[in-house]
Amino acid sequence: MKFKRKTIAKGFIIAGLMNMSVLVFSRFFTNKVINETDPDVMSNFGLVMIVVWGLAYISVAKTYQNVTWLIGIFAFEKLIYGITWAKWIFTNNLATVFEKDAMAGMFYAVYGVNDWLFCVFFSIVFFPLMKANNSG
């Protein structure tokens, strides 16, 4: 699958903005239901780090082809969050979270899907870059 550089750059920006959406769902870190629902991963510190990752994605949008291994790290990071979400979704009751707070429920319903999608995106960007760099 081959994408144009502008399309890939937009993908990095969208990935970053999706991470920034945690500010909305958490009501700028005041939504305690998100923290209480998964305190190990979604503490306020964890949420701040999600924002930091988002800033990192945006920061390389126009120069991603120069940081091949960082893109691989992005894919790996998204894989970890995707697996963590899948484990959480199969061992918890999402309806209970929605009952406590709709925004927290929406967050837990979609964050893992977002992570899996961007894991695929970053992988699609990473592997051709790695191949191109090794064939030179």
Side-chain angles (χ1 to χ4, degrees), residues 51-92:
V51 171
V52 169
W53 279 108
L55 293 170
Y57 307 149
I58 292 168
S59 77
V60 301
K62 295 194 180 202
T63 59
Y64 68 88
Q65 64 275 12
N66 298 325
V67 290
T68 303
W69 286 103
L70 182 59
I71 308 313
I73 292 167
F74 290 168
F76 186 62
E77 176 259 344
K78 287 297 189 184
L79 175 68
I80 291 168
Y81 273 95
I83 290 169
T84 300
W85 173 79
K87 181 181 172 191
W88 185 90
I89 210 80
F90 289 117
T91 58
N92 290 276

Side-chain angles (χ1 to χ4, degrees), residues 35-59:
N35 306 136
E36 294 164 359
T37 300
D38 191 353
D40 291 332
V41 179
M42 298 301 170
S43 65
N44 277 344
F45 176 79
L47 298 175
V48 167
M49 294 314 298
I50 290 170
V51 171
V52 169
W53 279 108
L55 293 170
Y57 307 149
I58 292 168
S59 77

Side-chain angles (χ1 to χ4, degrees), residues 90-121:
F90 289 117
T91 58
N92 290 276
N93 185 346
L94 187 57
T96 303
V97 181
F98 271 102
E99 288 170 10
K100 292 178 183 177
D101 183 83
M103 292 296 281
M106 286 187 280
F107 173 76
Y108 279 97
V110 301
Y111 98 75
V113 175
N114 176 73
D115 288 327
W116 284 115
L117 289 172
F118 282 103
C119 177
V120 170
F121 168 75

Side-chain angles (χ1 to χ4, degrees), residues 3-18 57-58 60-64 118 121-122 125:
F3 293 105
K4 294 180 182 179
R5 284 187 179 192
K6 280 187 175 184
T7 303
I8 294 171
K10 287 178 186 175
F12 280 93
I13 292 167
I14 292 167
L17 293 175
M18 291 301 291
Y57 307 149
I58 292 168
V60 301
K62 295 194 180 202
T63 59
Y64 68 88
F118 282 103
F121 168 75
F122 291 137
V125 174

